[in-house]
Amino acid sequence: MTQTNPMQDHPDWDAYDDYTGPEPERIIDDPALPFTLHDDLVPIDRNGMYVPNHLDESGTLHVFAAVDHTDRPEFDSPVVHLSYIRAMETEDGRLVYDKHPVMPLADMSDQPFPRQTLDLMLMDGDLENAQELAHQTARSHGLAFPEHESLPPLDTAVRYDFAGGVEDDGSPALLAVKSWREGSVDREQRLTIASYGMAAALDVDLRELDEVRDGFGLQTAMNLAESMAVASGYLHDGRDDTRLFTEGPPDPFTTNAERERAAEVFIGDAGELDTEELPAAQPAPSSIYAQWAADAQSRREANMPLEGAAWFEATFADNAKVDLLQPINDTVNYAVVVTDSDPWTTELMVEKFWREPGGYVGSDSLTIDTYDSDDEVQRDVAEAARATLLGIHEKRGLEAMMHQAELGAMENRYLDGDRADTRLFHDGPPDRFETLAHRVEGTPNLYWNTTGERIESPRDETQELPAVTPERVYLLDEADMGQPAPDSWDALIAAQADEEPAREAHYWQMHYRPVETPEGEPLGTALFVTAFPQLPPDFDDYIDEFGMDDTVYPTEARTLEMAHFASEVDAKKFDAEFRGYLVSGLLDGPELAPEVAKLEGLSGEWQDMDYDDIVGYMSGRRTVVRAESEWHLHNPNAEREAEMSSAGIPLLSDEELVQIEPDDPAPTPDFDL
């Protein structure tokens, strides 16, 4: 029988001559993880068993697994802990992860409560409640585990920055810094660009490199930095490795050396073919930088003839990052800004500006608070805090706003309340306001201790201090304060002055709970204040240092429902505004919360919590059930409407506003604004 070859009969068929069998399974094996990752991040433990997990929409893997912490000195006994692990594979092939210990284990196979519950929550996709339960469990064992709202996304970015440094001989140096995360470790590579005899010269080049990056992009800035490094002798233009950074993920820019090497290869391949069309030449980075410097000099020269406020207006007209407080002064001006001070930190600051010789801008700044740059919610909180300061400036003026900024910086440990130099800004012309520290200079400083620290004095040395009211926080004159409108924030704060002395300060928290109807329809988010009379105000610091045990577990608590919001983001913005009116030791959250709740249409009454309520609170049972008739959505215009009502201005509905004819003259209120 004759055998035929079907491939000869069908030459159009693909013979798959290059087929070598199925592709091998892709496995990621990091020795620091208790499992390997197969294909699409499927975790398999070291015994070959599947590990329950959840892979979210962003491609982040969530796992609870036993981890041996022998390499961590803080876990000397026991060394095995159940840990919450998040992992993600980046586009450039890096595996990035973090680990948060939840509870100690007897060994790797130990299954105490709530380990299986946490696994089931992940498998069901109930990530938020799994994180909340892990947080509460970790706190009960004295372990630091962030609340789920505070867990930032995994940092997979590669960042490039310019910074100042110091050479081995002590001279100032300008550095280019590349930073990235690999595994659970933050890494960086630093390249010296130039060194200087004086720090002032370094500051000039550092500022110009930052401005080139902001104005022309990373490619131009890095090419300029490379040229400076070659000119300074820290790089060789004929180096074998043409990269600027030799470590970490691939860089998203092309170096001058790479471009020149590619041109040499092209010319070598093309030979003498001078008729061949060459790619369009790109302008050299130095010429772009020169053009940028010329433009800046041209703007300075154009503004030189201007004086006073006109010079400030022209100089800051194109600066989108700085909005000077109005009205603009002829000599010194201020701004409240939210800015990224480094790749990981966002700062809330007040800045001071003045004119230097030659038309340059002089500046100084004071940090009020810092936030995590990767957390969008924290960014919103920072913007809300900025809006609060601007609102104080609009209603009470510059000095009142600076007093609030001074208190905030003191409470957040960015300013010493008992400092010898009472100024907020140390450079530039004299300020247009008097600081709180200067006003109480020579007297017992009422603002040195914003955290509530107590110092016991012998009976014969105790002396009576001046009485303090909340208005004293701003130290305003009568004309500055004015008459607060009823049912406004100002009235709520002022009302505290006539009340009985507040009870001794204790621990309290603000927290958010999703709300739904009895039928299960979502309504929004409720903001609660919960107070624990048995616990000291610094209870969080105590837990971080000593951990949680039965001797400090609270048996008394009370809670108050303060406001309703459409979303948790809105609730957190209100939270930030609310905290902006508090001053530790003078006006605390539990004192102000009932009045705010009444302004929001709620009862404003504290509800005592029994043991079951406290356990439910600690275990994170989050959903609250309310009838729609009990839901009072926060009205951000409530204060303005209260002021209009007290002034005799009628409040019009939307329909009435539409019916007003455009030609009708606006009603003139019968009072003196």
Side-chain angles (χ1 to χ4, degrees), residues 159-162 175-178 191 193 209 212-213 217-229 235 244-245 251-256 285:
R159 296 181 175 86
Y160 300 87
D161 297 282
F162 301 106
L175 308 175
V177 183
K178 173 182 178 180
L191 170 69
I193 299 173
L209 274 173
V212 169
R213 180 188 58 192
L218 180 65
Q219 174 75 53
T220 303
M222 284 301 176
N223 287 162
L224 173 59
E226 181 184 4
S227 299
M228 295 171 64
L235 275 182
L244 196 59
F245 296 102
D251 298 315
F253 55 85
T254 303
T255 66
N256 296 331

Side-chain angles (χ1 to χ4, degrees), residues 317-330:
D318 298 328
N319 194 331
K321 296 182 179 180
V322 176
D323 189 9
L324 296 179
L325 297 177
Q326 301 292 326
I328 295 180
N329 183 264
D330 288 339

Side-chain angles (χ1 to χ4, degrees), residues 451-452 454 502-510 529-540 554 556-559 579 582 584-585 587-594 606 608:
T451 59
R454 297 185 177 187
R503 69 180 68 185
E504 184 178 354
H506 51 258
Y507 181 66
W508 62 277
Q509 287 184 332
M510 296 182 69
V529 177
T530 300
F532 300 89
Q534 300 166 308
L535 304 181
D538 58 349
F539 185 63
D540 281 329
E556 295 180 18
R558 55 183 186 142
T559 188
R579 292 178 186 272
L582 305 180
S584 181
L587 182 61
D588 217 347
E591 297 176 76
L592 188 56
W606 290 95
D608 291 330

Side-chain angles (χ1 to χ4, degrees), residues 162-175:
F162 301 106
V166 179
E167 290 285 86
D168 293 338
D169 60 0
S171 60
L174 179 60
L175 308 175

Side-chain angles (χ1 to χ4, degrees), residues 2-80:
T2 304
Q3 298 289 331
T4 61
N5 187 344
M7 301 305 298
Q8 294 178 350
D9 298 336
H10 300 279
D12 56 323
W13 286 6
D14 188 350
Y16 297 104
D17 291 336
D18 58 348
Y19 178 72
T20 59
E23 293 185 3
E25 183 181 25
R26 190 173 67 95
I27 300 176
I28 302 176
D29 187 357
D30 189 312
L33 292 176
F35 47 75
T36 56
L37 297 173
H38 297 240
D39 291 332
D40 297 328
L41 298 185
V42 178
I44 303 296
D45 68 17
R46 301 297 175 176
N47 296 321
M49 301 298 293
Y50 173 80
V51 180
N53 65 89
H54 173 68
L55 188 66
D56 65 23
E57 296 178 352
S58 68
T60 302
L61 177 72
H62 304 263
V63 179
F64 289 99
V67 177
D68 188 336
H69 290 292
T70 305
D71 59 333
R72 297 179 61 172
E74 65 266 34
F75 296 133
D76 53 353
S77 178
V79 297
V80 179

Side-chain angles (χ1 to χ4, degrees), residues 334-542:
Y334 305 90
V336 184
V337 300
V338 173
T339 184
D340 292 332
S341 57
D342 59 48
W344 306 275
T345 309
T346 296
E347 291 193 31
L348 171 65
M349 300 191 301
V350 285
E351 293 191 317
K352 171 183 177 179
F353 300 99
W354 63 90
R355 181 174 181 170
E356 292 277 13
Y360 290 89
V361 177
S363 66
D364 197 0
S365 64
L366 170 69
T367 298
I368 303 172
D369 204 356
T370 57
Y371 309 85
D372 186 350
S373 297
D374 294 328
D375 191 333
E376 290 295 332
V377 174
Q378 287 201 29
R379 181 81 185 198
D380 291 340
V381 171
E383 293 290 352
R386 175 178 180 269
T388 298
L389 286 174
L390 294 177
I392 294 174
H393 175 264
E394 181 180 353
K395 291 183 178 182
R396 298 187 176 90
L398 176 66
E399 186 163 273
M401 188 203 77
M402 288 299 182
H403 288 171
Q404 184 66 27
E406 184 177 1
L407 286 170
M410 288 158 53
E411 187 165 2
N412 296 318
R413 306 297 179 89
Y414 294 103
L415 189 66
D416 184 2
D418 203 26
R419 61 194 183 276
D421 188 341
T422 59
R423 297 174 298 171
L424 292 191
F425 305 103
H426 305 296
D427 296 330
D431 288 307
R432 294 158 41 203
F433 59 89
E434 185 179 25
T435 65
L436 293 173
H438 180 73
R439 188 165 291 189
V440 300
E441 191 174 19
T443 65
N445 190 346
L446 306 177
Y447 307 100
W448 74 273
N449 180 11
T450 61
T451 59
E453 180 182 353
R454 297 185 177 187
I455 298 180
E456 299 295 337
S457 300
R459 182 175 298 275
D460 56 351
E461 295 179 5
T462 304
Q463 56 181 338
E464 184 178 356
L465 297 179
V468 181
T469 64
E471 290 92 340
R472 180 71 170 167
V473 172
Y474 300 105
L475 294 175
L476 303 178
D477 298 329
E478 186 71 22
D480 294 326
M481 284 297 296
Q483 183 64 30
D487 297 329
S488 67
W489 282 99
D490 305 327
L492 294 180
I493 295 175
Q496 303 299 319
D498 299 327
E499 292 185 356
E500 294 295 325
R503 69 180 68 185
E504 184 178 354
H506 51 258
Y507 181 66
W508 62 277
Q509 287 184 332
M510 296 182 69
H511 51 101
Y512 320 100
R513 293 291 183 262
V515 182
E516 61 182 31
T517 65
E519 293 77 22
E521 294 295 327
L523 289 173
T525 299
L527 177 61
F528 286 81
V529 177
T530 300
F532 300 89
Q534 300 166 308
L535 304 181
D538 58 349
F539 185 63
D540 281 329
D541 296 335
Y542 176 90

Side-chain angles (χ1 to χ4, degrees), residues 252-274:
F253 55 85
T254 303
T255 66
N256 296 331
E258 288 171 337
R259 192 179 296 109
E260 292 169 0
R261 193 69 51 84
E264 294 173 359
V265 173
F266 174 81
I267 293 174
D269 293 343
E272 300 297 328
L273 299 178
D274 55 1

